[in-house]
Amino acid sequence: MKPSSLRAALCVLSAVAAPSAFAWGSTYSIPLFESRMTAARASGSTGGTTVIRSEVKTALESFLSSDDGQTDAAEYAYLAGKVASPTFLTGIDTSARDYLFRYHELNDGAATTSPLDVASPAQTPAQIFGASGRLASNAWIQEGGIPEGEGVANQTTLQWTYYGYFGPQSSTFAPVTYAELSARLGSTIFGQAPSAAEVNGALAWLSAHAGSGARYYVASWHDSYGRTGPGDIGGYVVASVNNTRDSVRYIEVMTWSD
């Protein structure tokens, strides 16, 4: 699909998707988030009186799977107050704060996508990773950027660009640490683990692009129609975003098929 026609398609899709953001909305999700954070601060919780990363992730799910699948403008504004509040942040450990900040930045409540155009690089995955094997043979790579002043790579942009260029619709992208990214790239593909050389090569390619911001996101995908014939296929997709949030590298990996 040509970039111009893709932009038009994404604008239409975004416009169609936008009203669903209010299907449940903040009147449901915010009280649920607050109750989960209160539970996380209790002495009998997983982290005790300190709120840990897994507890923040569970609380933030109030704006996704427990709500309408996306963070709308009202929810984003609510979280902005929490991110800026020293009182709220007291008792939340460093890793948990990092996830909260990254979640809030990515899920900015925007209903329309930025014009992110991506394309396949000239090199094959094996050439980019510096090794061949399970990961390289089941990976599809795309990279590109957003024109200056025309937006940033937020949740809406990552999801709709992936859908427009790769085919299936992904789940919501979630922030991951470098260690979590490494674990995902090293997970089994059709029952076998990729080589360390492939994983290290993929990590190097993604981290060189992400720079000091270390913006890494992962989502799952499932295509019930397949790409070469009938049958279900699925896997995960990794997105690496640069410091100015106007350039993205995707690695999609197919991990299973029926």
Side-chain angles (χ1 to χ4, degrees), residues 226-248:
R227 288 177 180 165
T228 59
D232 284 359
I233 60 174
Y236 65 88
V237 55
V238 172
S240 165
V241 177
N242 69 340
N243 285 335
T244 52
R245 301 178 66 202
D246 59 2
S247 180
V248 179

Side-chain angles (χ1 to χ4, degrees), residues 30-45 48-49 51 55 59 78 88:
I30 289 176
L32 181 58
F33 172 82
E34 291 178 340
S35 68
R36 288 179 174 179
M37 287 300 297
T38 298
R41 295 181 190 275
S43 58
S45 67
T49 55
V51 181
E55 292 174 321
Y78 164 80
F88 177 78

Side-chain angles (χ1 to χ4, degrees), residues 155 158-159 162-163 166-176 184 217-223 227 233-239 250-256:
Q155 181 72 250
L158 290 180
Q159 283 190 287
Y162 173 76
Y163 174 75
F166 287 83
Q169 191 163 359
S170 71
S171 67
T172 304
F173 280 86
V176 294
R184 178 55 66 93
Y217 310 107
V218 175
S220 61
W221 63 272
H222 168 221
D223 188 348
R227 288 177 180 165
I233 60 174
Y236 65 88
V237 55
V238 172
Y250 289 101
I251 299 179
E252 182 203 74
V253 183
M254 183 169 65
T255 61
W256 62 270

Side-chain angles (χ1 to χ4, degrees), residues 8-63:
L10 294 180
C11 288
V12 171
L13 288 169
S14 297
V16 171
S20 66
F22 302 97
W24 286 83
S26 57
T27 56
Y28 171 80
S29 60
I30 289 176
L32 181 58
F33 172 82
E34 291 178 340
S35 68
R36 288 179 174 179
M37 287 300 297
T38 298
R41 295 181 190 275
S43 58
S45 67
T46 303
T49 55
T50 298
V51 181
I52 60 177
R53 187 180 179 91
S54 62
E55 292 174 321
V56 164
K57 290 174 71 173
T58 297
L60 289 169
E61 278 292 311
S62 305
F63 303 111

